[in-house]
């Protein structure tokens, strides 16, 4: 008899313990993803890993982009690599734009990345969700065909990059000049804040109550085998103290719908050179933009 | 006294069992829903753009009635599926309805890839900036669908893993948490006529 009453204690305890252990484990574990940058942390707006931009152009462009960011809040980054290896340039550069966290973490976080793979002779510009109104894919493609491709064919990479970025800035500014403050239509619906307190939470409570009733019933059936020893060992009231908070806990639980979006854009730079403070950490890129080859 | 102890233990177990799996499942299910809405808006965008591209191509003298016909059919299937009213709570789509949207999406097969590589078989399109721009828009949309698909599958994997692990697996069925379908890409692409490589859907165009 006493043996059986022990096991009744042990199963729920074991279950609860396992449950907490499993909860700790469930996060993390991503496959090589489009959220982590294959490149090291950026050192500024212009990152030339292939060595094709001369120092003067680079510092001018860097300054231009910093000023533009201060004026408009738009973060434009440039990355030049030799090759993306086996990976498609789209995937590779998307991972860079998200991993670097280009754009702020605010709700409205425009940003763009002009990405070039010199030896692959390919380019792609990623446009974040909040910049798609000003720089739709067709316009981005058009500007690249006009300003980037001709210069790249001549081998003047620095000028092609500089002119293209300048064209993006001008396009952005002409979009905003003379018009009222842009209607910032929320283009992404990822923050859905509806809280699903519904029949299912009620049902959940019912299940728990049923469980409790069953346990008590099981306890009653054991009454014959009751011993003082048990009582002392399990410290009466120790667990019961938590009981009062069960219902609020469960009701609150229904609104725990936070998304895992914050997993990207953890910015661990900033200790680096000069006054470069890193990108905003937004990285809100959904695949918009255009690219091609030359 | 014994009854009080048992009650305490039962409550403790109840917190553990229902608490963490229920809350966690709800959070992850919300994430899946959020990612799904990105998938649908990208598909909607595709459906909006296709007539533009087809018109521009026709104006430039492209004769591909068969492809255009297939695209029109697939487009109306897609619109029917995405615009069907959601049957889950709060007007959301059930996993079955999501599967229907995914199937409709896949019924485009290789036709989109065909559209995106038209400029290879019709060189005159290269000089049409109007066509090139719409083509950029459409290939941007394909990229968006793909990105949204990967993000959605990540969210689904996270949710399904939790749902099918102990202890959630004990209660998930009772609490109405269904397993979510993955977005499997483009089964139909195999039979469709293709120009260029199999990856032409993804290739940035110029």
């Amino acid at each position: 008899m006493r043996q059986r009453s022990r096991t009744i204690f042990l199963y729920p305890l074991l279950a609860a313990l396992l449950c907490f252990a499993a909860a700790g484990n469930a996060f993390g574990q991503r496959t090589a993803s489009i959220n982590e940058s294959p490149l090291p942390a950026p050192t500024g707006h212009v990152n030339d890993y292939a060595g094709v931009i001369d120092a003067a152009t680079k510092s001018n462009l860097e300054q231009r982009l910093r000023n533009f960011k201060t004026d408009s809040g738009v973060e434009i980054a440039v990355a030049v690599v030799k090759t993306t290896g086996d990976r498609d340039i789209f995937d590779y550069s998307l991972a860079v734009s998200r991993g670097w966290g280009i754009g702020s973490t605010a709700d409205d976080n425009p940003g763009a990345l002009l990405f070039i793979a010199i030896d692959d002779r390919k380019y792609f510009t990623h446009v974040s969700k909040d910049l798609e109104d000003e720089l739709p894919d067709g316009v981005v493609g058009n500007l690249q065909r006009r300003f980037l491709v001709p210069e790249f064919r001549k081998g003047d990479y620095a000028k092609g990059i500089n002119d293209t970025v300048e064209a993006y800035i001008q396009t952005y500014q002409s979009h905003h000049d003379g018009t009222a403050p842009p209607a910032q239509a929320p283009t992404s619906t990822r923050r859905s804040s509806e809280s699903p307190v519904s029949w299912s939470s009620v049902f959940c409570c019912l299940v728990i109550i049923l469980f409790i009733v069953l346990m008590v019933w099981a306890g009653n059936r054991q009454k014959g085998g009751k011993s003082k020893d048990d009582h002392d060992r399990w410290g009466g009231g120790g667990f019961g103290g938590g009981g009062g908070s069960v219902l609020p806990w469960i009701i609150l639980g229904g609104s725990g719908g936070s998304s895992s979006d914050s997993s990207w854009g953890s910015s661990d730079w900033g200790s680096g050179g000069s006054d470069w403070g890193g990108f905003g950490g937004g990285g809100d890129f959904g695949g918009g933009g255009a690219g091609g080859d030359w | 006294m014994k009854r009080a102890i048992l009650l305490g233990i039962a409550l403790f177990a109840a917190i553990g069992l229902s608490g963490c799996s229920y809350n966690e499942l709800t959070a992850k299910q919300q994430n899946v829903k959020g990612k799904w809405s990105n998938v649908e808006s990208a598909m909607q965008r595709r459906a909006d753009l296709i007539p533009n591209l087809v018109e521009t191509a026709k104006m430039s003298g492209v004769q591909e009635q068969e492809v255009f016909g297939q695209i029109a059919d697939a487009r109306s299937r897609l619109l029917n599926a995405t615009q069907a009213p959601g049957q889950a709570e709060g007007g959301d789509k059930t996993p079955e309805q999501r599967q229907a949207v995914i199937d409709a999406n896949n019924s485009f097969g290789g036709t989109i890839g065909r559209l995106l590589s038209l400029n290879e078989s019709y060189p005159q399109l290269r000089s049409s900036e109007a066509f090139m721009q719409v083509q950029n828009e459409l290939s941007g949309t394909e990229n968006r669908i793909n990105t949204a698909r990967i993000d959605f599958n990540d969210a689904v994997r996270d949710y399904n893993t939790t749902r099918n692990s102990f202890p959630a697996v004990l209660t998930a069925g009772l609490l109405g948490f269904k397993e979510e379908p993955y977005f499997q890409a483009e089964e139909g692409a195999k039979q469709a006529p293709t120009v260029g490589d199999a990856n032409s859907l993804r290739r940035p165009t110029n």
Side-chain angles (χ1 to χ4, degrees), chain A residues 81-84 89 115-123 294:
Chain A
V81 300
K82 280 194 182 309
T83 175
T84 57
I89 187 171
F115 187 93
I116 291 145
I118 293 287
D119 292 349
D120 302 342
R121 301 180 74 83
K122 284 183 179 159
Y123 59 86
W294 71 85

Side-chain angles (χ1 to χ4, degrees), chain B residues 67-110:
Chain B
V67 180
F68 292 159
Q70 287 170 6
I71 286 184
D73 291 346
R75 178 174 175 272
S76 58
R77 269 197 295 275
L78 179 62
L79 285 176
N80 282 341
T82 52
Q83 287 166 3
Q87 285 163 8
E89 311 167 57
D92 286 315
K93 287 196 164 60
T94 60
E96 291 79 12
Q97 285 180 305
R98 285 188 192 151
Q99 188 59 52
V101 173
I102 291 168
D103 290 344
N105 181 70
N106 289 342
S107 71
F108 278 98

Side-chain angles (χ1 to χ4, degrees), chain A residues 154-165:
Chain A
K154 284 187 270 173
D156 194 347
Y157 301 115
K159 184 170 191 315
I161 291 167
N162 191 65
D163 291 359
T164 308
V165 171

Side-chain angles (χ1 to χ4, degrees), chain A residues 9 19 98 137 142 189 203, chain B residues 9 16 20 37 129 144 151 174:
Chain A
F9 287 129
C19 170
R98 286 183 168 190
D137 304 345
N142 173 280
T189 47
F203 187 54
Chain B
I9 292 173
C20 67
S37 72
E129 188 54 38
R144 281 186 185 81
D151 289 343
L174 280 175

